[in-house]
Amino acid sequence: MHAEDRSIHFSTELIHAPVQYQVPALQKLYYELGQTRTAAYDSSDFSVPGRPQFHSKRPPRSQSVAVFLPDRIVLIEEWADGPLSAFIDKVKEVSARTLGDLGPTEFVAQTVTLRSTFGLTHFADARAFLLDHVCSQEGRLAPHFRRPIGVGGMRFMLPETPEHQGNFQVIIESFQQSVNDVFVEVKGIFAQQHITAESLFVAIHHIQDVRAFIVEHVFPYLNQFDRAK
């Protein structure tokens, strides 16, 4: 299996007690972020009540979005064209300014979703790799489903333990847009948090923990099966 994966999606939800975001304060935030090197957005949209957002689009299909909902801010990098470190810098800037100027005093929960694709070395089709080789389903699906399988894979829910913080939801499946790639999504859900302006490093650690799970656990799990027959 290729040692380097391709990160295609970063997002986090920073959840807080309900507040009413004011448009002038968000306009000020948009301007201030525009003066930074790490968190500038190309445009803003205040047309939908209760759902203001900042966004940028870059060819061919990359998007950066910040959405301000009554109980959370959502930061998204879709079809990411930069490293995770750049996303983390953006989270630091936006979250620090949100807690400082916009009303929320702390984040009480957080979700982190990261998506990557891994290229296979010894298999030409990720569906056959996952279903036939990893899951030993060769010849067992077609007689019953009697239809082609477009995407197939596995899903796991890993609950929080005393040693491991957060509930992790893991999806491993064939990547619809590239037959040779395995798609991996890990979503971490971190409840009962008290993340203030002084402890924003906790939110960053959560992002890094989800990334580490992909690199240190999902990759070795899949790599053990990607061997020459």
Side-chain angles (χ1 to χ4, degrees):
M1 208 166 189
H2 297 182
E4 292 293 329
D5 61 328
R6 178 190 171 210
S7 295
I8 60 174
H9 175 97
F10 312 132
S11 65
T12 188
E13 296 176 298
L14 295 161
I15 300 166
H16 52 70
V19 299
Q20 184 67 46
Y21 285 112
Q22 302 298 317
V23 170
L26 288 172
Q27 290 172 328
K28 178 175 179 287
L29 173 63
Y30 174 74
Y31 173 79
E32 291 175 346
L33 292 176
Q35 310 310 303
T36 71
R37 183 178 56 85
T38 58
Y41 291 89
D42 293 338
S43 59
S44 58
D45 184 355
F46 302 100
S47 62
V48 180
R51 194 182 175 87
Q53 62 178 272
F54 309 153
H55 47 79
S56 301
K57 292 185 178 181
R58 299 172 298 279
R61 52 183 176 177
S62 299
Q63 295 188 61
S64 301
V65 184
V67 185
F68 297 84
L69 302 174
D71 67 341
R72 71 195 63 195
I73 59 174
V74 185
L75 302 176
I76 304 167
E77 297 292 319
E78 192 66 76
W79 296 110
D81 56 359
L84 181 64
S85 59
F87 175 66
I88 286 176
D89 288 341
K90 186 171 290 186
V91 172
K92 289 178 181 176
E93 284 282 357
V94 177
S95 59
R97 294 172 187 271
T98 298
L99 291 177
D101 301 328
L102 298 187
T105 57
E106 66 174 5
F107 299 122
V108 297
Q110 182 184 10
T111 73
V112 177
T113 302
L114 303 183
R115 298 173 184 147
S116 294
T117 63
F118 287 93
L120 296 170
T121 302
H122 299 287
F123 290 80
D125 190 327
R127 290 168 298 181
F129 169 72
L130 289 171
L131 297 177
D132 299 345
H133 186 57
V134 178
C135 297
S136 301
Q137 295 298 299
E138 185 172 7
R140 300 182 183 210
L141 297 172
H144 299 279
F145 292 170
R146 298 184 181 179
R147 297 181 63 172
I149 295 175
V151 174
M154 302 170 286
R155 181 171 183 168
F156 306 93
M157 197 285 284
L158 310 177
E160 185 170 353
T161 70
E163 296 80 22
H164 302 96
Q165 189 180 24
N167 294 287
F168 279 21
Q169 299 174 2
V170 182
I171 296 173
I172 302 171
E173 61 188 25
S174 56
F175 188 41
Q176 194 167 19
Q177 302 192 33
S178 177
V179 68
N180 182 245
D181 288 344
V182 175
F183 169 88
V184 172
E185 176 185 289
V186 178
K187 180 176 183 177
I189 302 171
F190 304 90
Q192 298 180 349
Q193 302 293 304
H194 297 283
I195 303 173
T196 65
E198 290 73 33
S199 59
L200 278 174
F201 62 87
V202 175
I204 303 308
H205 286 170
H206 290 159
I207 298 172
Q208 293 168 335
D209 286 347
V210 174
R211 176 59 184 165
F213 188 85
I214 293 175
V215 174
E216 298 172 10
H217 300 280
V218 177
F219 171 76
Y221 168 73
L222 292 172
N223 193 47
Q224 68 179 328
F225 296 104
D226 191 11
R227 299 287 186 266
K229 294 183 180 180

